């Protein structure tokens, strides 16, 4: 694994757990973790359960006993690491969004296609696909339970940077993160809605905004909260664990923090057409005061509607318009039965699961695909398609919301 912050910890938790929960054709061994800071990565290896650590990701690629490289770094290093790992015959799991630009994503998808011909697998980590209720939503759509899909309504809302004093962490810098709320959380709802509906976004009209254009430079991260020089941890809006820090910047005079420009969007809102005829709306924001990690998707079809809310991730709301009128109404399905996706390995019905389980499911599917020689999804080509949507949203916003077609990618978004 490369990276050991928020996503590194989430993935490590999943790698630790997956062998013990699922009966898989191969077992994961957590061989080597990489990070730039020797002291921090040593601690991370110990805490997260890795056999050894290194400060150079090339060590992972050089080792013959390493089969899989899991990339959990900021987006600016995804392409370089993934391309080297694929060229060396390593199977690659890469965090979302796949890359910072369409051209990088294209290169990665092309390399993945070449590697695939040699039996080398790759997958992008859109973990919310693997929440059982989301997988079930997809099955319901595929089984025709919703009829013809007319509307998709998707929001992903956070509030961790509402405070203008929150520091300029890497997620707020275009060169590191590619984009802001759009690529970080908007990418999730783009992937999720395309996965569930089986339809792709064919065009968009967008607005984006950066509400706070300049922020104090961070002095570091305590691990639980980013800090600004001359100030305590910036945690007035809850913990900012994992949102990371930028190394190497200090204050001007030790009291008043130096500031820097925010180079990404704080929020992105767009309307879209899906290629199966549905109309869709998307909202991704880090300024939705009170909303911590609120992902919600509603789908309306000719025969019914279905609603998923991450804050109630064990549930699905379903409206079945084929029932007698007197019996119609939204019903709550508790997605914890053994027959529900992924659930048979967990607890008895009603014993709910959480955020981290989606990553365990991700590792389960990835290991199974690698061990059986199947192609895991979402592929790099699927993730390139998401990148093309992100790019179209940015271009539309730059052109005063003008309608912007999404260039078709190579592959389908099939699971
Ligand atoms: C931060 O905004 C973040 O951690 C994203 O990077 C994750 O992908 C999302 O799952 C939660 O929010």
């Amino acid at each position: 694994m490369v990276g050991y912050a928020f996503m590194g910890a989430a993935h490590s938790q999943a790698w630790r757990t997956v062998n013990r929960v699922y009966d898989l054709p191969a077992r994961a061994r957590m061989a080597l973790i990489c990070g730039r800071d020797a002291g921090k990565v040593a601690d991370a290896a110990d805490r997260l359960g890795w056999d050894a650590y290194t400060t150079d990701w090339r060590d992972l690629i050089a080792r013959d006993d390493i089969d899989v490289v899991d990339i959990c770094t900021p987006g600016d290093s995804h392409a370089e690491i993934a391309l080297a790992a694929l060229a060396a015959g390593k199977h690659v799991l890469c965090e979302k969004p796949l890359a910072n630009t369409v051209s990088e994503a294209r290169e990665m998808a092309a390399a993945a296609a070449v590697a695939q011909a040699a039996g080398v697998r790759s997958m992008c980590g859109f973990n919310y696909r693997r929440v059982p209720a989301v997988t079930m939503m997809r099955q319901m759509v595929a089984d025709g339970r919703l009829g013809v899909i007319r509307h998709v309504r998707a929001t992903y809302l956070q509030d961790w940077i509402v405070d203008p004093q929150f520091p300029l962490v890497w997620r707020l810098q275009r060169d590191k993160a590619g984009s802001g709320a759009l690529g970080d959380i908007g990418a999730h709802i783009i992937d999720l809605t395309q996965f569930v509906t089986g339809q792709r976004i064919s065009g968009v009209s967008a607005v984006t905004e950066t509400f706070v254009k300049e922020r104090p430079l961070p002095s570091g991260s305590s691990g639980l909260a980013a800090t600004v020089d001359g100030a305590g941890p910036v945690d007035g809006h809850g913990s900012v664990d994992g949102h990371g820090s930028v190394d190497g910047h200090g204050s001007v005079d030790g009291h008043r923090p130096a500031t820097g420009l925010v180079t990404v969007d704080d929020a992105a809102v767009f309307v879209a057409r899906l290629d199966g005829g549905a109309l869709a709306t998307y909202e991704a924001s880090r300024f939705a005061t009170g909303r911590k990690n609120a992902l919600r998707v509603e789908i309306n079809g000719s025969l019914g509607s279905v609603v998923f809310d991450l804050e109630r991730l064990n549930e699905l709301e379903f409206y079945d318009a084929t029932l007698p009128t007197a019996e119609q109404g939204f019903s709550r399905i508790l997605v914890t039965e053994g027959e529900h996706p992924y659930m048979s390995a967990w607890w008895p019905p009603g014993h709910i699961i959480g955020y981290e389980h989606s990553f365990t499911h991700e590792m389960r599917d990835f290991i199974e695909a690698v061990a059986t020689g199947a192609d895991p999804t979402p592929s790099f080509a699927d993730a390139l398609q998401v990148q093309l949507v992100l790019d179209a949203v940015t271009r539309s916003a730059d052109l005063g919301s003008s309608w912007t077609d999404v260039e078709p990618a190579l592959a389908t978004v099939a699971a």
Side-chain angles (χ1 to χ4, degrees):
M1 171 179 288
V2 197
Y4 54 80
F6 180 20
M7 274 310 110
H11 283 216
S12 296
Q13 146 87 23
W15 290 119
R16 283 197 306 271
T17 309
V18 69
N19 302 318
R20 295 176 172 83
V21 174
Y22 290 102
D23 187 15
L24 292 168
R27 287 178 70 81
R29 185 169 64 81
M30 297 167 70
L32 185 60
I33 186 167
C34 173
R36 275 175 298 191
D37 182 305
K40 288 182 184 167
V41 74
D43 284 351
D46 188 39
R47 186 167 36 88
L48 301 175
W50 293 85
D51 293 348
Y53 67 88
T54 176
T55 53
D56 185 350
W57 59 263
R58 289 169 191 84
D59 291 346
L60 279 88
I61 286 162
R63 267 184 43 178
D64 288 341
D65 65 330
I66 289 180
D67 302 309
V68 170
V69 174
D70 182 359
I71 304 171
C72 293
T73 54
D76 61 339
S77 54
H78 287 186
E80 187 185 12
I81 300 170
L83 293 173
L86 288 170
K90 310 294 185 197
H91 309 288
V92 175
L93 174 60
C94 183
E95 252 304 301
K96 46 55 62 179
L98 184 62
N100 279 2
T101 64
V102 164
S103 65
E104 284 172 349
R106 248 191 241 292
E107 207 183 336
M108 292 167 81
V114 170
Q116 191 252 8
V120 176
R121 315 287 160 190
S122 47
M123 184 171 110
C124 186
F126 283 107
N127 60 301
Y128 295 124
R129 283 183 173 213
R130 269 113 181 161
V131 173
V134 172
T135 310
M136 180 168 159
M137 248 175 139
R138 174 182 164 88
Q139 286 171 1
M140 291 172 80
V141 172
D143 290 347
R145 298 295 301 278
L146 271 72
V148 182
I149 306 299
R150 305 293 191 205
H151 287 292
V152 172
R153 220 162 282 115
T155 51
Y156 196 163
L157 308 175
Q158 299 182 340
D159 74 352
W160 56 278
I161 56 170
V162 164
D163 183 349
Q165 291 308 309
F166 188 92
L168 188 67
V169 294
W170 70 262
R171 277 184 163 83
L172 308 184
Q173 299 174 35
R174 181 174 297 278
D175 59 333
K176 308 258 182 344
S179 66
L182 175 62
D184 187 29
I185 53 178
H188 274 303
I189 46 177
I190 292 168
D191 178 70
L192 196 158
T193 51
Q194 294 190 131
F195 170 69
V196 167
T197 61
Q199 297 185 28
R200 291 201 285 185
I201 295 174
S202 57
V204 297
S205 169
V207 285
T208 59
E209 184 57 73
T210 303
F211 299 112
V212 174
K213 298 191 173 20
E214 198 171 335
R215 288 179 179 273
L217 298 177
S219 60
S221 165
S222 70
L224 283 178
T227 53
V228 177
D229 268 357
V234 180
D235 60 2
H237 294 274
S239 139
V240 292
D241 187 14
H243 290 117
S245 67
V246 179
D247 293 333
H249 295 293
S251 66
V252 174
D253 57 12
H255 297 292
R256 200 161 31 84
T259 61
L261 291 182
V262 176
T263 46
V264 298
D265 59 284
D266 289 333
V269 178
F270 59 100
V271 295
R273 282 189 182 279
L274 304 192
D275 61 5
L279 298 184
T281 61
Y282 293 83
E283 183 183 4
S285 178
R286 292 165 167 167
F287 272 73
T289 308
R291 300 294 177 197
K292 304 300 166 187
N293 195 42
L295 186 168
R296 188 178 185 279
V297 172
E298 173 166 327
I299 298 176
N300 308 132
S302 55
L303 300 180
S305 290
V306 68
V307 185
F308 172 74
D309 180 346
L310 184 65
E311 292 180 352
R312 308 181 70 152
L313 71 76
N314 290 272
E315 301 171 17
L316 261 194
E317 272 191 277
F318 178 46
Y319 185 100
D320 185 351
T322 67
L323 290 174
T325 316
E327 294 171 22
Q328 286 177 18
F330 276 97
S331 60
R332 183 183 71 114
I333 302 170
L334 192 59
V335 190
T336 58
E337 299 292 324
E339 68 204 86
H340 284 133
Y342 302 106
M343 289 306 290
S344 62
W346 295 107
W347 317 117
H351 294 67
I352 54 179
I353 61 163
Y355 170 71
E356 73 273 22
H357 293 73
S358 62
F359 295 98
T360 307
H361 302 160
E362 184 176 308
M363 302 326 168
R364 169 197 178 272
D365 292 345
F366 187 70
I367 292 173
E368 191 148 273
V370 165
T372 60
D375 288 320
T377 55
S379 66
F380 278 17
D382 296 331
L384 163 61
Q385 195 274 334
V386 172
Q387 205 81 41
L388 288 164
V389 177
L390 299 176
D391 185 63
V393 168
T394 305
R395 283 185 293 120
S396 168
D398 287 348
L399 292 171
S401 311
S402 75
W403 186 260
T404 304
D405 288 332
V406 176
E407 200 184 316
L410 313 165
T412 64
V413 283

